[in-house]
């Protein structure tokens, strides 16, 4: 039975995610160098940027399941999403949301987007490696998260990709801070630090040692001031069989 605090936390998370899918908010970060994070994707609808994402193969972008909705396209191979030429746009052919996903609080917040046309990999666009097996990150492992958008609470969207370093938080500590935390998640940033993501960074990658190990899932309300509660990411390594199944199924249908 969900106790009162759990119910309250669930309400807070869900209440903020509705508005949170728009833009993205890297706090206390800096502009990403032009030749870095070449796998980043802006996941968009007809109105523009909705969520972050990252290119995992020539025809698939990974993002968060809660970014579902009227998504139409992704923008690849650019750090500035204000002026984008047609060659950097790929339309979404199909969305593969994890079949057991219900909401961020029950976990499984992962989705693959099949692109209608393969991306052309070059010096401006690369895929990102995924973990090869289940991983267990050590406490305080230094990682990075990136996205487009707000740089403070109630700020404004920015056009250029921003990145910030965050440290992994011990799972036991994270569970004490987030009673009823879903399984298969990683906690990093946003706790005892001013660094982290805010609502709209959803779907972007947590990158540790050059590998995309997490997907931005949720944090505490729309408060980007910190240091309240840890930021929570989907643990990509726990979904490797599911990911491989989707990629293989798609290849067979070509």
């Amino acid at each position: 039975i969900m106790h009162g605090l759990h119910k309250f936390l669930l309400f807070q998370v869900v209440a903020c995610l509705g508005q949170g899918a728009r833009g993205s908010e890297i706090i206390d970060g800096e502009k990403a160098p032009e030749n870095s994070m070449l796998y980043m994707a802006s996941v968009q609808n007809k109105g523009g940027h909705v969520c972050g994402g990252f290119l995992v193969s020539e025809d698939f972008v990974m993002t968060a399941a809660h970014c579902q909705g009227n998504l139409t396209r992704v923008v690849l191979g650019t750090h500035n999403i204000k002026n984008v030429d047609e060659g950097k746009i790929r339309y979404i052919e199909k969305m593969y949301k994890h079949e057991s996903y219900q909401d961020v609080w029950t976990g499984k917040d992962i989705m693959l987007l099949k692109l209608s046309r393969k991306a052309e990999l070059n010096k401006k666009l690369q895929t990102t490696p995924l973990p090869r097996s289940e991983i267990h990150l050590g406490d305080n492992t230094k990682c990075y998260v990136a996205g487009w958008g707000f740089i403070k609470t109630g700020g404004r969207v920015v056009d250029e990709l921003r990145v910030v370093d965050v440290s992994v938080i011990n799972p036991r500590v994270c569970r004490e801070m987030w009673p009823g935390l879903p399984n298969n998640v990683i906690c990093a940033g946003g706790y005892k630090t001013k660094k982290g993501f805010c609502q709209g960074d959803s779907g972007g990658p947590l990158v540790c040692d050059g590998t995309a190990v997490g997907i931005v899932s949720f944090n505490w309300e729309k408060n980007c001031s910190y240091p309240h509660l840890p930021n929570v990411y989907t643990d990509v390594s726990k979904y490797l069989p599911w990911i491989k199944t989707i990629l293989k199924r798609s290849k067979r249908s070509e």
Side-chain angles (χ1 to χ4, degrees):
I1 297 170
M2 283 202 304
H3 52 72
L5 178 60
H6 188 152
K7 278 185 179 171
F8 176 68
L9 287 174
L10 178 58
F11 171 76
Q12 291 290 347
V13 170
V14 173
C16 71
L17 277 171
Q19 297 122 19
R22 299 220 168 262
S24 60
E25 305 158 352
I26 290 293
I27 306 305
D28 210 18
E30 57 190 30
K31 284 183 186 177
E34 272 298 320
N35 60 347
S36 68
M37 308 192 90
L38 303 177
Y39 42 78
M40 286 296 297
S42 169
V43 179
Q44 303 190 348
N45 62 18
K46 288 177 182 173
H49 179 81
V50 175
C51 276
F54 46 107
L55 193 67
V56 295
S57 75
E58 288 176 303
D59 48 0
F60 272 97
V61 164
M62 187 172 286
T63 187
H66 79 257
C67 295
Q68 63 189 330
N70 301 316
L71 303 176
T72 56
R73 67 183 198 172
V74 300
V75 174
L76 303 167
T78 182
H79 278 13
N80 190 319
I81 56 170
K82 188 172 185 181
N83 300 309
V84 176
D85 62 68
E86 197 67 29
K88 293 180 176 175
I89 295 170
R90 290 292 183 276
Y91 290 91
I92 297 167
E93 183 177 288
K94 188 166 182 181
M95 291 188 276
Y96 293 91
K97 181 183 65 173
H98 195 287
E99 52 278 1
S100 300
Y101 172 77
Q102 294 176 313
D103 55 54
V104 295
W105 199 251
T106 54
K108 303 176 181 67
D109 192 9
I110 182 171
M111 181 164 63
L112 281 163
L113 306 175
K114 172 78 187 292
L115 308 182
S116 60
R117 187 162 56 91
K118 288 187 176 182
E120 295 165 19
L121 304 182
N122 53 43
K123 62 178 196 228
K124 283 282 190 183
L125 178 61
Q126 297 291 325
T127 57
T128 180
L130 298 178
R132 292 185 177 178
S133 57
E134 279 199 31
I135 54 166
H136 301 281
L137 297 167
D139 300 357
N140 301 315
T141 300
K142 189 65 67 75
C143 304
Y144 296 88
V145 61
W148 288 270
F150 297 8
I151 53 175
K152 63 180 180 181
T153 305
R156 63 179 183 84
V157 171
V158 296
D159 303 318
E160 295 190 63
L161 183 68
R162 297 181 73 85
V163 62
V164 67
D165 60 288
V166 291
S167 296
V168 172
I169 296 163
N170 182 290
R172 183 180 50 76
V173 172
C174 196
R175 289 189 183 284
E176 286 171 5
M177 301 298 296
W178 279 110
L181 191 73
N183 293 323
N184 300 342
V185 295
I186 297 168
C187 299
Y191 170 60
K192 294 188 175 178
T193 172
K194 291 183 178 176
K195 294 180 175 183
F197 64 77
C198 204
Q199 259 38 59
D201 265 324
S202 301
L206 176 70
V207 179
C208 305
D209 196 23
T211 301
V213 300
I215 305 167
V216 173
S217 186
F218 66 89
N219 74 346
W220 173 251
E221 258 198 324
K222 287 190 287 185
N223 189 341
C224 309
S225 303
Y226 300 119
H228 299 85
L229 287 164
N231 291 177
V232 181
Y233 301 78
T234 303
D235 183 344
V236 172
S237 80
K238 302 296 194 294
Y239 297 95
L240 294 176
W242 179 82
I243 293 165
K244 285 173 184 168
T245 299
I246 300 296
L247 297 184
K248 278 181 186 167
R249 186 192 305 165
S250 174
K251 282 229 177 331
R252 282 200 304 269
S253 64
E254 284 178 3

